[in-house]
Amino acid sequence: MKKYLAVFKINLLNCLTYPAELMMRSATILLFMWIFFQLWHITFAASGSDIINGLSLHDTMWYLLLAETLELGRPRLARVISEQVKDGSIAYLLNKPYNFLIYQLSSGLGESLPRMGMLFVLGGALVWAMAGPPPDMVNWPVALVALAGAWLLHFCVNSLIGLSAFAVEEVAPFEWIYQKFVFILGGMLIPLDFYPAWLQTIAKSLPFAYMMYGPARLFVLPDPALFAQILVGQLLWLALLGGLLTLVFTRGMKRLAINGG
Amino acid sequence: MFREFKFLLSLWKTNLAAAMEYRAAFISQSIGMILNDAVYFVVWIIFFDRFPSIIGWQLTDMFIVFGISASAFGLAGLLFGNAFNLGDIIVKGRLDYYLSLPRPTLLHVLASRVVPSSFGDFLYGFISYIASGQFSLGGLGRFLVGVALATTVFLAFLVLVQSLAFWLGTGSIFTSMAINAIITFAIYPITLFNQTAKVILFLVVPAAFMGAVPAGFVKGFSWSVLGLMLFGAAGFLTLAILVFHAGLRRYESGSAIQTEV
């Protein structure tokens, strides 16, 4: 466990060494949140109601902030792993005394945490100024638990896409399409509550809703039943995707051919 | 002028031949990008299904705006792929190669790479236009003119932003922010923005020239809109060339050995 903690710390410190760069990279969230505010401010005004399907403009903006923080702050592991598979540098990671997947998890988390923190602070300041103060602090712990589950689900899918480089030449299209499914079925750009009922049912029966909608919705309108439902869903999908990831990794190792060094 | 055009044609032929060496990757990335764009657009279909009009802006307008932006983005990547990493080329001293050859430096460097997935974007733009339900032969002609002028503005903006690397010594952060900004603003309804924001969208981040203005032209011919687009394209292109050459006077490299393939 100590070695993974060390990998986590190295990546964390690496990100924090250049705070100005971290801030500049995170500044994109300001653009997105500003545009979202323009869109939803006008949409709420046009609808003539302060509440649409249970969400106010304030709820919608903080929902979108958490969703954007997760999307922009999660590590692009698919790209990293697929490059390691394609250029053979995976060989240098496999001969070290650690588990490859847990190594990726630790390094990804070390990279992701400061980035997500900065995104939340910058975006949060703007959303606060435009839509009002953040949701009650009581909501935060449940949202954080769901956020951790969502991050792990992203990790599993991203790693699976990265490892698919064992079988296919180019993994980028898988990554793009996966991201777009998260956008739509995860409710990243529009909260799932605004979807037609039939689409909500489909979205909530797939893992994407647990990767984005779950934590974001709990952040603005938590309720115990929803929390339990999201937690159970995340655990089930983690068991399924985590098992699949282990299987694909084991199979991939058997296909791996390393020539020279 | 004709000589430079022949040179460009030769470059594009060579680029295409090089891309076709990895035919499977080219085709899979192109198809992947078409799917990616199509899946992304579903967000707007869901949005306009729930909220049919945003201050007069409807789903049909989104199809055309998205079509123009996607095709312009794709055409830039297909014909001038290095526009997306000009900043890196400057910072890493890779302009040496182009400077040592008797051809216009900016034109040569920009056209020396093709981004394979761009073909998917370019094609998707036409699909989106056809899906708008506003297709006509005259409209297609205006669509082509709109795409050509939007591509010019987009390229000029990329060159302008990345030429900052001559002064700042770094390019990648600004590039990703600039691309995010112009694309995001271009594909959102322009009616969302107030007068100040609109001035910014015409003069600072010229997203209006990449989305709303050419989309309006596609819907109906107007000499004034055509004039505005021509003026915008010529103005930004001239500015980009001037700034690039001003920066080029400051360019220095460590004479590192580089290989340009």
Side-chain angles (χ1 to χ4, degrees):
Chain A
M1 195 63 196
K2 260 183 163 176
K3 52 196 170 193
Y4 301 116
L5 198 63
V7 172
F8 166 77
K9 269 169 78 177
I10 289 167
N11 279 278
L12 185 78
L13 292 173
N14 200 22
C15 265
L16 294 174
T17 307
Y18 303 103
E21 191 186 344
L22 179 66
M23 196 183 277
M24 287 294 295
R25 284 194 191 281
S26 308
T28 316
I29 198 166
L30 298 174
L31 169 76
F32 292 137
M33 295 321 297
W34 186 76
I35 290 190
F36 283 150
F37 182 73
Q38 305 303 317
L39 178 67
W40 289 108
H41 170 67
I42 287 174
T43 304
F44 270 82
S47 78
S49 168
D50 290 339
I51 306 278
I52 300 176
N53 294 36
L55 294 177
S56 64
L57 176 62
H58 169 268
D59 297 334
T60 307
M61 286 310 296
W62 284 100
Y63 169 103
L64 292 170
L65 174 73
L66 201 77
E68 282 293 326
T69 300
L70 182 57
E71 173 56 26
L72 297 175
R74 67 183 171 83
R76 276 14 192 191
L77 273 177
R79 222 169 296 166
V80 174
I81 296 176
S82 75
E83 283 308 315
Q84 288 167 351
V85 171
K86 282 194 281 187
D87 66 16
S89 60
I90 192 170
Y92 296 97
L93 298 170
L94 291 173
N95 64 8
K96 303 283 186 304
Y98 48 59
N99 178 297
F100 175 78
L101 292 175
I102 306 179
Y103 165 83
Q104 296 292 357
L105 190 141
S106 317
S107 79
L109 191 62
E111 195 187 310
S112 193
L113 273 185
R115 204 182 308 158
M116 284 174 70
M118 183 59 80
L119 286 163
F120 188 81
V121 169
L122 285 180
L126 183 65
V127 172
W128 194 334
M130 293 185 303
D136 201 322
M137 292 292 273
V138 180
N139 304 2
W140 294 40
V142 282
L144 274 177
V145 172
L147 194 67
W151 193 94
L152 285 172
L153 282 170
H154 278 292
F155 168 78
C156 290
V157 179
N158 265 286
S159 304
L160 274 168
I161 294 172
L163 289 176
S164 65
F166 279 122
V168 294
E169 199 176 309
E170 186 56 68
V171 305
F174 298 127
E175 199 190 352
W176 301 331
I177 293 165
Y178 156 67
Q179 188 193 37
K180 297 307 172 297
F181 273 114
V182 173
F183 278 17
I184 297 165
L185 297 169
M188 201 197 95
L189 298 174
I190 306 172
L192 290 186
D193 307 78
F194 298 164
Y195 284 25
W198 64 270
L199 193 53
Q200 283 192 42
T201 312
I202 294 174
K204 286 175 184 171
S205 59
L206 293 169
F208 308 107
Y210 300 98
M211 293 172 165
M212 200 56 79
Y213 173 76
R217 180 66 157 74
L218 283 170
F219 185 49
V220 293
L221 290 173
D223 96 74
L226 181 68
F227 180 56
Q229 185 199 334
I230 284 165
L231 209 60
V232 170
Q234 284 186 335
L235 287 173
L236 284 175
W237 280 110
L238 269 176
L240 188 75
L241 293 170
L244 189 62
L245 176 61
T246 315
L247 186 75
V248 168
F249 179 66
T250 317
R251 288 261 171 100
M253 286 305 98
K254 286 180 189 157
R255 289 174 68 120
L256 182 67
I258 297 165
N259 302 302
Chain B
M1 191 74 174
F2 182 67
R3 213 167 134 234
E4 303 310 342
F5 186 67
K6 264 177 74 183
F7 167 64
L8 260 184
L9 278 181
S10 308
L11 265 180
W12 289 334
K13 264 171 70 181
T14 313
N15 287 343
L16 186 67
M20 282 303 153
E21 275 300 304
Y22 302 95
R23 200 174 298 247
F26 183 86
I27 294 170
S28 70
Q29 286 194 46
S30 297
I31 293 173
M33 190 50 83
I34 291 175
L35 287 173
N36 170 66
D37 291 348
V39 174
Y40 178 78
F41 196 77
V42 173
V43 169
W44 286 113
I45 295 176
I46 295 169
F47 182 86
F48 281 101
D49 178 58
R50 178 71 180 76
F51 311 104
S53 176
I54 295 294
I55 318 183
W57 196 272
Q58 294 171 340
L59 186 60
T60 307
D61 303 294
M62 284 308 298
F63 269 114
I64 300 175
V65 162
F66 205 81
I68 291 271
S69 306
S71 283
F73 185 89
L75 195 59
L78 266 183
L79 302 183
F80 300 99
N82 265 340
F84 293 90
N85 53 351
L86 181 64
D88 265 354
I89 291 172
I90 293 166
V91 170
K92 290 178 180 163
R94 284 173 50 207
L95 277 183
D96 293 7
Y97 168 79
Y98 302 97
L99 285 167
S100 64
L101 294 169
R103 279 289 177 259
T105 309
L106 182 59
L107 192 67
H108 191 178
V109 67
L110 292 181
S112 290
R113 177 177 166 245
V114 60
V115 181
S117 59
S118 300
F119 189 60
D121 279 317
F122 181 65
L123 276 186
Y124 181 78
F126 288 84
I127 296 171
S128 186
Y129 170 52
I130 292 165
S132 71
Q134 304 251 322
F135 182 82
S136 67
L137 274 182
L140 180 64
R142 293 193 295 276
F143 183 84
L144 290 171
V145 172
V147 168
L149 294 174
T151 307
T152 309
V153 172
F154 180 52
L155 280 171
F157 179 65
L158 288 180
V159 171
L160 267 172
V161 170
Q162 294 187 88
S163 294
L164 291 176
F166 284 119
W167 287 272
L168 302 175
T170 177
S172 59
I173 299 178
F174 286 110
T175 307
S176 63
M177 275 183 73
I179 293 176
N180 270 330
I182 193 164
I183 297 294
T184 311
F185 280 123
I187 61 172
Y188 272 77
I190 199 163
T191 48
L192 290 179
F193 307 114
N194 61 24
Q195 287 309 315
T196 316
K198 279 181 187 155
V199 170
I200 294 172
L201 295 184
F202 276 93
L203 296 177
V204 184
V205 181
F209 289 112
M210 206 184 156
V213 176
F217 182 67
V218 172
K219 285 172 73 178
F221 181 85
S222 150
W223 283 109
S224 60
V225 176
L226 179 62
L228 180 66
M229 289 195 302
L230 283 168
F231 180 73
F236 273 98
L237 189 61
T238 308
L239 191 62
I241 293 170
L242 288 176
V243 171
F244 177 81
H245 283 95
L248 203 54
R249 276 184 231 116
R250 296 174 51 91
Y251 175 74
E252 49 189 33
S253 77
S255 300
I257 296 170
Q258 312 270 1
T259 312
E260 297 294 331
V261 183

